[in-house]
Amino acid sequence: LCFSFCGVVIKLLCSTETPMHIAFYMLVMTTILALPMGLLHWKNPTPEAWMYIGIIGALTYAVQVLVGKAISKVPYM
């Protein structure tokens, strides 16, 4: 249900925003929603873990941009 809602929101935003802006907005919203639980269970990452966190963040952003581009190509019904 939530994934479908995100798809509809992305489709609506595609008419006014670039896929990069949409990906940024979605990742900021996800960060804000996850922050309370993240702070409750925070443990300091090792330097190696920070590297993996950076890689995961970059790949997640790339996926969001590509999803935005794909959804923008879908015609309205």
Side-chain angles (χ1 to χ4, degrees):
L1 185 62
C2 291
F3 188 75
S4 298
F5 177 73
C6 286
V8 171
V9 170
I10 290 170
K11 183 63 179 169
L12 293 172
L13 287 173
C14 284
S15 62
T16 60
E17 302 291 334
T18 67
M20 288 187 285
H21 286 140
I22 295 169
F24 178 76
Y25 298 148
M26 295 301 248
L27 293 175
V28 167
M29 184 178 68
T30 303
T31 300
I32 291 170
L33 293 174
L35 197 58
M37 279 300 188
L39 292 176
L40 283 175
H41 301 286
W42 181 259
K43 293 193 175 38
N44 287 329
T46 64
E48 181 184 13
W50 279 114
M51 178 187 70
Y52 289 122
I53 290 169
I55 291 169
I56 290 168
L59 290 174
T60 302
Y61 179 75
V63 166
Q64 286 292 335
V65 169
L66 294 174
V67 167
K69 285 184 179 186
I71 290 176
S72 71
K73 304 291 184 196
V74 175
Y76 285 104
M77 295 183 88

